[in-house]
Amino acid sequence: MPRWVQEGRVVGSRMDTSTKRSAPVVDASKGALLVLFLVTVIDMIGFGIVIPFLTYLVEDLTPANQEANIGIWVGVLMTSYSAAQFLFSPFWGSLSDRIGRRPVLMVGLVGNTVFFTMFGLANTLVLALLARFLAGVFNGNLAVARAYIGDVSTPQQLATRMGLIGAAFGLGFTFGPFIGGELSDPASRWALFEGTIFDTNPYLLPCAVASLLSVLSLLVAIRNLPESLPPEHRNQSQQKSWAAGMVGTLKSTGSMLRSGNVSVVIWVSMLFIFGFTIMHAVFILYTQMSPADGGLSFSEAENGRVFAMIGITGILTQGFLIGPLSRRFGTRRLIPIAILITGVGLVLIPYTQFEQRWIHILIAGGLISIGNGLFQPSSSSFLTRIAKAEGYELGVVMGAQESVGALARIMGPLTGGFVWVFTDAREWPLDYHTAFHLCGFLMICAALLSLRLPPLPDDSDLNHQKNLAESE
């Protein structure tokens, strides 16, 4: 099986599995695969559930004399989750090598249960930040779910089972924002919640639902998730310190960023993710503005529906469009096309007219989701194939890509929040359009850089592209 899967690599972590590579593969039960699916879905629900209501929560918790900092707090809270995952994924991966996969996955589910609820109950920005960061810490075990699949899968099973993780990503990002939007502030819509804890804590209900899903997954795990890594195949060597692990990750990533054609693909992905995640911070800041100021006056529920639509369109794109378009244009040509489609959608967002807001926002959102749905599998496929063609170690390459992607997801919302704070009250062109213009500029840079991608010797062979599209 691919080495990067055996190593359980995510966001640059490298799990030492040298002591278990000779272990016989024990096939997983359907129940075990269901647990892994649920772990991944909950991970993405945890990321996306706050998107529709985060701006409103920050407004509620911001002191009266600090309204100007709302955009910065939105960016910080959005970033904290990804930052925690980046910092602690290597720890969870290494720990699972020593004590087994099952206990680490179950500890993550327990942490989700606690800290999702804690976030919904937060009554200060500092407490909300702490809860969000800790939720990211315990949701940093996605590498362990991938390693589990590597433990229990034959090479013939691997592509399909990794596709399960890809499907869970899509579903989690679709239903996370939908749950967050539809269940926010329930007391204002349903008399059942008036005068209850959900009235005083208007964003507790979606967080409580996420916690409930985590509890249900934990119960399924207790019953159906066997250990995949027997004691005799665990790594008993002394664990590296966290600092040493992070230094090793950064050195490996830096080396790949200077490695010819491979580095071009990684830089293109970084610029794309950077521009895409700026939108995560500023989209709600824009849509919640009043029409008099150029906004759409969207509610939490309306914002959640927009992101759900983006998620569903992305799933359909990867399910039905990626194969035919790859055969028509080839992976190398499809990458800049996908980037430009995404960039056009991002730039169009702040030009939505209030009278036709749903038509305009659905067009912009559709372009974003189609472009992103084409780019992600195409770039991953191209990177895998160029790394193999040039003789690079695939584990190092994929780890570098995920590390750079994680850093881009950290910097994107922060950048969006700061740009919004310093421009939203100014006049055009440096007004609330600016953050979305920055997204478009980064996409243009990524598209231009992608023109340097070399043709592949087997570019007509698209079977790998099709398989990877299905796994996304």
Side-chain angles (χ1 to χ4, degrees):
M1 69 187 67
R3 187 173 178 180
W4 70 279
V5 176
Q6 286 185 325
E7 292 174 346
R9 182 175 290 273
V10 64
V11 291
S13 66
R14 184 171 187 173
M15 294 163 46
D16 181 5
T17 59
S18 59
T19 61
K20 75 176 183 65
R21 284 175 181 160
S22 60
V25 173
V26 178
D27 195 16
S29 67
K30 292 182 179 179
L33 294 176
L34 174 63
V35 172
L36 298 176
F37 181 84
L38 291 174
V39 166
T40 307
V41 169
I42 289 169
D43 179 88
M44 291 309 297
I45 285 177
F47 174 79
I49 198 169
V50 305
I51 292 176
F53 65 76
L54 185 60
T55 298
Y56 305 92
L57 180 142
V58 171
E59 287 180 341
D60 291 348
L61 300 182
T62 298
N65 60 343
Q66 297 184 23
E67 290 90 348
N69 296 324
I70 287 176
I72 295 176
W73 271 105
V74 170
V76 169
L77 285 168
M78 189 73 70
T79 292
S80 62
Y81 189 87
S82 296
Q85 288 184 312
F86 173 74
L87 293 173
F88 284 88
S89 284
F91 166 77
W92 291 120
S94 179
L95 183 64
S96 77
D97 267 348
R98 293 188 296 113
I99 69 173
R101 318 294 189 206
R102 186 176 189 268
V104 174
L105 290 170
M106 295 177 71
V107 166
L109 291 170
V110 172
N112 290 338
T113 302
V114 174
F115 296 115
F116 283 161
T117 301
M118 178 180 172
F119 185 79
L121 291 170
N123 55 9
T124 67
L125 288 172
V126 173
L127 184 58
L129 177 60
L130 178 63
R132 189 68 179 154
F133 183 84
L134 290 174
V137 169
F138 282 87
N139 257 332
N141 60 7
L142 184 57
V144 183
R146 290 181 174 177
Y148 191 110
I149 289 180
D151 293 337
V152 300
S153 302
T154 65
Q156 294 74 24
Q157 295 170 325
L158 192 59
T160 300
R161 290 181 174 179
M162 291 303 293
L164 190 72
I165 299 294
F169 261 85
L171 288 175
F173 188 75
T174 299
F175 288 106
F178 183 78
I179 292 171
E182 293 296 330
L183 300 184
S184 293
D185 197 13
S188 66
R189 290 186 284 167
W190 301 303
L192 173 66
F193 294 98
E194 292 180 2
T196 68
I197 190 173
F198 299 104
D199 195 354
T200 54
N201 297 275
Y203 308 109
L204 174 59
L205 183 58
C207 296
V209 169
S211 294
L212 178 60
L213 291 174
S214 189
V215 169
L216 294 176
S217 297
L218 178 62
L219 296 176
V220 175
I222 292 172
R223 179 179 176 86
N224 296 297
L225 187 69
E227 178 55 61
S228 67
L229 189 62
E232 62 270 21
H233 298 294
R234 295 175 189 172
N235 180 12
Q236 301 301 329
S237 61
Q238 185 175 3
Q239 184 183 14
K240 289 183 178 180
S241 69
W242 175 87
M246 291 303 299
V247 169
T249 293
L250 293 176
K251 285 183 177 179
S252 175
T253 300
S255 175
M256 286 296 100
L257 288 174
R258 299 188 298 271
S259 299
N261 292 324
V262 166
S263 69
V264 175
V265 188
I266 295 175
W267 278 109
V268 168
S269 295
M270 186 276 288
L271 289 170
F272 181 92
I273 295 171
F274 188 20
F276 190 83
T277 54
I278 287 175
M279 181 267 292
H280 287 165
V282 300
F283 181 83
I284 311 300
L285 288 167
Y286 163 67
T287 62
Q288 60 89 36
M289 290 169 53
S290 71
D293 296 325
L296 306 179
S297 195
F298 272 5
S299 66
E300 300 94 330
E302 289 170 320
N303 285 319
R305 291 164 194 162
V306 171
F307 277 93
M309 181 276 299
I310 291 175
I312 292 171
T313 306
I315 292 172
L316 294 175
T317 298
Q318 295 187 27
F320 299 101
L321 289 182
I322 186 68
L325 290 177
S326 295
R327 289 188 290 272
R328 173 67 178 83
F329 296 102
T331 305
R332 179 168 167 263
R333 292 189 184 93
L334 192 58
I335 288 175
I337 293 173
I339 294 171
L340 291 176
I341 290 173
T342 306
V344 170
L346 290 169
V347 172
L348 285 178
I349 288 174
Y351 293 96
T352 301
Q353 300 299 309
F354 180 76
E355 293 78 10
Q356 293 87 33
R357 56 191 180 278
W358 277 108
I359 295 175
H360 289 181
I361 208 69
L362 290 177
I363 291 173
L367 290 172
I368 293 168
S369 57
I370 291 172
N372 181 60
L374 294 175
F375 175 81
Q376 296 295 346
S378 297
S379 60
S380 295
S381 173
F382 194 92
L383 180 61
T384 301
R385 294 165 66 190
I386 198 69
K388 288 183 176 180
E390 299 188 358
Y392 287 98
E393 185 177 339
L394 193 56
V396 176
V397 173
M398 299 306 292
Q401 183 198 36
E402 293 188 20
S403 294
V404 170
L407 290 173
R409 282 187 288 272
I410 292 169
M411 295 304 300
L414 273 180
T415 302
F418 276 99
V419 170
W420 182 270
V421 165
F422 290 112
T423 62
D424 76 295
R426 299 175 184 267
E427 295 183 357
W428 197 91
L430 295 178
D431 59 359
Y432 63 88
H433 296 81
T434 304
F436 297 97
H437 291 166
L438 177 59
C439 294
F441 173 75
L442 291 168
M443 292 298 170
I444 291 174
C445 292
L448 291 175
L449 184 59
S450 72
L451 297 179
R452 295 183 55 191
L453 295 175
L456 294 175
D458 59 343
D459 200 47
S460 60
D461 179 11
L462 296 172
N463 289 331
H464 183 76
Q465 170 70 50
K466 181 179 179 181
N467 290 336
L468 192 56
E470 293 172 352
S471 72
E472 293 289 323

